[in-house]
Amino acid sequence: MAEEIKTPETEESGKNFIINFIDEDIAEGGQFQGMTVHTRFPPEPNGYLHIGHCKALCIDFGTAERYNGLCNLRMDDTNPAKEDTEYVDAIQQDIHWLGFDWGDRFFYGSDYFEKDYEYAVELIKKGLAYVCELTPEEFKANRGDIGIPAVSPYRDRPIEENLRLFEKMKNGEVEEGKMTLRAKIDLASGNFNMRDPVIYRIRFINHHRQGTKWCIFPMYDFAHPIQDALEGITHSLCSLEYEEHRPLYDWVVNNVSIPYHKPRQIEFARLNIDHTVMSKRKLRKLVEEHYVSGWDDPRMPTLCGLRRRGYTAASIRNFCEMIGVGKTPSVIEYGTLEHCLREDLNAHAERTMAVLHPVKLTVTNYPEGKSETFSVENNPTDPTQGTHEITFSRHLWIEADDFMEVPVPKYKRLTPNGLECRLKGAYLVKCTGCVKDENGQIVEVLCTYDPDSRGGDPADGRKVKGATLHWVDAESCVDAEVRLYDNLFSDPQPDGPDKDFLNCLNPDSLMVLEGCKVERAMVDVAKRFDQAENRTGVNAPTFQFMRTGYFCMDNRDCTADHLVFNRSVSLKDSFKK
């Protein structure tokens, strides 16, 4: 097991055990006294960043910001099997979108392949590494058990032979899987990561940057500490699964002749959210087998998917700050993330009216052909956002469930000869009946209005007991497609043991509504959005559809000629503080 880190007590609000450790390290007498705090974020470019990466992002970049320090962005491209420049570009775009920047400190792990090789040769010369010919199956069979040492028949090879064989590996003269280079540490260690781990393997594969220059590639546990040390990283912050790898991290930096300080690795619990999978392998499977429309499908936990759904960078950063930094793994409710988005959008999103399940409302005593204009506030929480104008006429659209011919108890919306209701920002109306088609379906609701209630307030001051309803003018509104998203997985723990995550997919995670009605102003907004240089890399215009939820224009499919909105989050908040 890795050496246990005892967490100092948190003394100030906003501090956590990582901050406490760094404070100790840079204080007088600390190992990094007088040095600039320097962190790094090292994603592997084999997929798109997801919400799980955001915690590490906020910790790595946020910690550097706190100390006016530096944070490097390094692509961990030492395993070329699934790596691609597409992911490199997307990762950079997502990090910038979140509001972080690495300046000129952008690196690739493959930049250090020559150095990695030199340090491997150095370990061989020191008698601390050897070429092993065990097959993967033999390696596993000889790994030993608790109290039973591992076995390695090639451990005592002469240094000169190891150098010769490693050179043959490098030159492509050994077939893949035939040999590996292993560190010589301790075959009886209670930490199995220290039982002479593999530090180099052979792969005849094209690298997205190096091409076929290399056919041997360093393992992460060997390359990563070297890269950290070469870049002058003071604190290597990583997720908890690397805690048992820390002794190997320290062993590497202590046994190669890097002429710099030795970084300190500190681990924290990774982010887990219910109804979600965080494995890039599983997310890739969802994409490649077309269970979703792509990496940016709004149901995906990827940052590009969340952005397309309408999540803001501020809401995600606030979420990461809210959940904090700890050492104990836990599962966060998806509702917590939604709460952070809802709070941000409530403060910033413009209000508009949209009818998702329309039924016509005819105001029978309003003159045919007449139209008038009302001003509606854009955001009641921020008067500086001003107002916008809407039109009103004899024919309107309302939500189908805002009318009930035979009302249930306590129903306070439109019903024949029922309560008087407000049409948001316009007039008071009272239902007088409805019109049905030949199948008995309601196609039109009839009502009268009070001309002396403009703005929704009756002239005589009477109390209105009915609800306030949203609506759009049938004479000026436009059609839209609205996509309602729910959790991609119906099982709260789709990654649980003995589960096939594909069997946990929610068949109702997407509902597409055609023929929805929205204010005509949305066309002008879409025209402006059409001019955006990089629509997929920015947040699309977001609105609160009154009484319904928060929606954004789809950054791929929405155009002025075909409006498409994605539901970001509902109005109801289930989060409990």
Side-chain angles (χ1 to χ4, degrees):
M1 295 292 289
E3 176 190 355
E4 180 184 2
I5 288 183
K6 295 183 179 179
T7 306
E9 293 296 323
T10 298
E11 298 175 355
E12 301 175 20
S13 175
K15 296 186 69 174
N16 55 61
F17 71 92
I18 293 176
I19 300 304
N20 289 333
F21 282 139
I22 295 177
D23 285 347
E24 292 177 355
D25 289 343
I26 63 177
E28 185 175 353
Q31 60 180 314
F32 300 126
Q33 177 186 346
M35 295 181 62
T36 298
V37 172
H38 201 156
T39 62
R40 83 293 168 268
F41 180 64
E44 183 178 0
N46 63 348
Y48 284 70
L49 294 183
H50 55 64
I51 185 65
H53 294 110
C54 288
K55 182 175 182 179
L57 259 171
C58 290
I59 290 174
D60 289 330
F61 282 95
T63 299
E65 286 181 356
R66 181 185 182 105
Y67 291 95
N68 293 316
L70 303 172
C71 183
N72 294 2
L73 174 60
R74 182 198 312 140
M75 296 295 159
D76 173 34
D77 59 344
T78 56
N79 180 16
K82 296 289 185 179
E83 294 165 359
D84 195 276
T85 53
E86 171 192 352
Y87 304 130
V88 172
D89 295 340
I91 288 169
Q92 293 180 80
Q93 182 180 84
D94 286 342
I95 296 174
H96 274 144
W97 173 72
L98 271 180
F100 297 115
D101 188 67
W102 52 89
D104 60 355
R105 295 174 305 282
F106 177 64
F107 305 98
Y108 289 91
S110 57
D111 291 340
Y112 303 97
F113 278 174
E114 198 69 50
K115 280 291 184 183
D116 294 332
Y117 175 76
E118 290 174 8
Y119 288 126
V121 170
E122 178 186 347
L123 290 180
I124 295 174
K125 290 180 177 179
K126 289 180 177 179
L128 295 177
Y130 61 96
V131 173
C132 179
E133 296 181 51
L134 291 176
T135 65
E137 294 75 21
E138 291 171 335
F139 182 89
K140 185 176 181 180
N142 285 277
R143 197 166 180 235
D145 206 336
I146 298 175
I148 302 175
V151 175
S152 177
Y154 304 98
R155 199 169 194 262
D156 296 323
R157 262 187 168 142
I159 289 175
E160 293 74 15
E161 184 179 355
N162 284 316
L163 290 171
R164 180 179 59 80
L165 292 175
F166 191 49
E167 182 72 12
K168 289 185 65 176
M169 290 170 58
K170 174 180 176 289
N171 293 338
E173 299 171 13
V174 180
E175 64 184 82
E176 190 169 316
K178 183 72 173 179
M179 294 181 182
T180 59
L181 183 70
R182 295 174 65 176
K184 184 187 289 188
I185 306 177
D186 182 3
L187 291 177
S189 175
N191 183 340
F192 279 56
N193 296 297
M194 302 295 282
R195 291 191 173 191
D196 289 12
V198 172
I199 57 175
Y200 260 94
R201 78 287 200 201
I202 302 170
R203 292 297 307 274
F204 291 102
I205 189 170
N206 186 71
H207 189 278
H208 72 105
R209 292 185 69 246
Q210 302 285 342
T212 56
K213 178 181 179 180
W214 294 90
C215 63
I216 55 171
F217 294 94
M219 302 297 288
Y220 179 85
D221 281 343
F222 178 68
H224 186 66
I226 291 173
Q227 294 160 10
D228 281 351
L230 289 173
E231 290 178 11
I233 303 303
T234 58
H235 295 88
S236 180
L237 311 177
C238 56
S239 49
L240 202 58
E241 64 263 34
Y242 291 102
E243 183 174 32
E244 290 194 347
H245 296 249
R246 188 179 351 120
L248 180 53
Y249 181 101
D250 293 339
W251 184 90
V252 172
V253 295
N254 286 328
N255 283 286
V256 296
S257 55
I258 297 176
Y260 305 108
H261 67 272
K262 310 303 182 184
R264 178 180 185 178
Q265 177 175 303
I266 304 174
E267 307 86 12
F268 55 85
R270 67 189 304 172
L271 172 61
N272 295 295
I273 303 178
D274 64 7
H275 295 92
T276 307
V277 297
M278 299 291 192
S279 161
K280 277 194 284 189
R281 177 183 60 81
K282 293 179 178 179
L283 294 178
R284 183 193 300 276
K285 188 177 183 70
L286 292 174
V287 173
E288 292 179 347
E289 298 186 10
H290 306 293
Y291 290 98
V292 295
S293 61
W295 286 97
D296 67 345
D297 188 299
R299 295 166 293 179
M300 291 279 276
T302 53
L303 289 189
C304 57
L306 291 168
R307 181 168 59 244
R308 186 176 175 189
R309 187 162 172 170
Y311 275 81
T312 62
S315 67
I316 292 175
R317 290 183 66 160
N318 290 341
F319 169 72
C320 291
E321 183 177 349
M322 174 182 285
I323 62 175
V325 180
K327 291 282 287 185
T328 304
S330 61
V331 178
I332 308 298
E333 292 184 11
Y334 199 93
T336 310
L337 178 60
E338 291 181 322
H339 166 78
C340 293
L341 176 62
R342 195 177 287 109
E343 281 202 329
D344 187 43
L345 294 182
N346 182 57
H348 301 105
E350 184 175 314
R351 273 54 169 172
T352 188
M353 290 196 280
V355 177
L356 305 191
H357 302 89
V359 64
K360 182 165 286 188
L361 177 70
T362 298
V363 187
T364 56
N365 63 333
Y366 193 88
E368 191 76 59
K370 179 182 177 181
S371 178
E372 57 185 303
T373 301
F374 293 88
S375 289
V376 179
E377 58 192 353
N378 286 331
N379 191 329
T381 68
D382 182 7
T384 63
Q385 292 190 33
T387 62
H388 70 277
E389 291 189 341
I390 55 173
T391 60
F392 181 92
S393 68
R394 177 183 174 92
H395 301 289
L396 312 171
W397 294 104
I398 62 169
E399 291 287 352
D401 61 5
D402 280 342
F403 171 78
M404 188 173 286
E405 186 177 16
V406 181
V408 296
K410 299 183 179 181
Y411 186 77
K412 294 186 177 182
R413 286 170 271 179
L414 294 176
T415 187
N417 300 313
L419 298 175
E420 198 171 32
C421 294
R422 282 188 178 88
L423 294 180
K424 173 69 177 176
Y427 290 106
L428 299 179
V429 295
K430 191 167 185 178
C431 180
T432 58
C434 64
V435 178
K436 300 180 182 179
D437 62 15
E438 63 274 11
N439 298 317
Q441 298 296 315
I442 296 169
V443 294
E444 186 177 12
V445 178
L446 307 175
C447 72
T448 59
Y449 85 113
D450 177 2
D452 295 326
S453 63
R454 181 178 169 86
D457 294 318
D460 61 7
R462 67 184 180 275
K463 185 176 182 181
V464 180
K465 297 181 179 180
T468 298
L469 311 179
H470 65 279
W471 54 276
V472 292
D473 183 3
E475 304 302 326
S476 64
C477 70
V478 291
D479 285 352
E481 175 185 323
V482 174
R483 299 167 181 174
L484 305 179
Y485 292 98
D486 200 351
N487 291 323
L488 183 57
F489 296 94
S490 53
D491 191 316
Q493 301 298 330
D495 248 349
D498 304 321
K499 290 182 184 178
D500 181 346
F501 77 107
L502 294 177
N503 292 334
C504 301
L505 285 167
N506 178 9
D508 301 318
S509 61
L510 170 61
M511 180 184 298
V512 179
L513 306 179
E514 304 281 358
C516 302
K517 311 295 181 180
V518 299
E519 296 181 25
R520 177 165 292 277
M522 294 297 100
V523 174
D524 294 331
V525 176
K527 287 179 179 178
R528 292 193 295 270
F529 188 44
D530 282 343
Q531 306 304 313
E533 291 184 8
N534 179 16
R535 286 177 36 141
T536 59
V538 299
N539 273 96
T542 298
F543 303 89
Q544 184 196 100
F545 288 178
M546 295 181 191
R547 301 177 65 222
T548 305
Y550 294 96
F551 294 76
C552 72
M553 291 182 169
D554 186 85
N555 62 20
R556 285 195 180 275
D557 301 333
C558 182
T559 67
D561 296 325
H562 178 61
L563 297 176
V564 180
F565 292 88
N566 298 327
R567 183 172 66 185
S568 306
V569 66
S570 65
L571 292 178
K572 186 177 180 181
D573 194 344
S574 61
F575 175 75
K576 296 178 177 61
K577 292 186 180 180

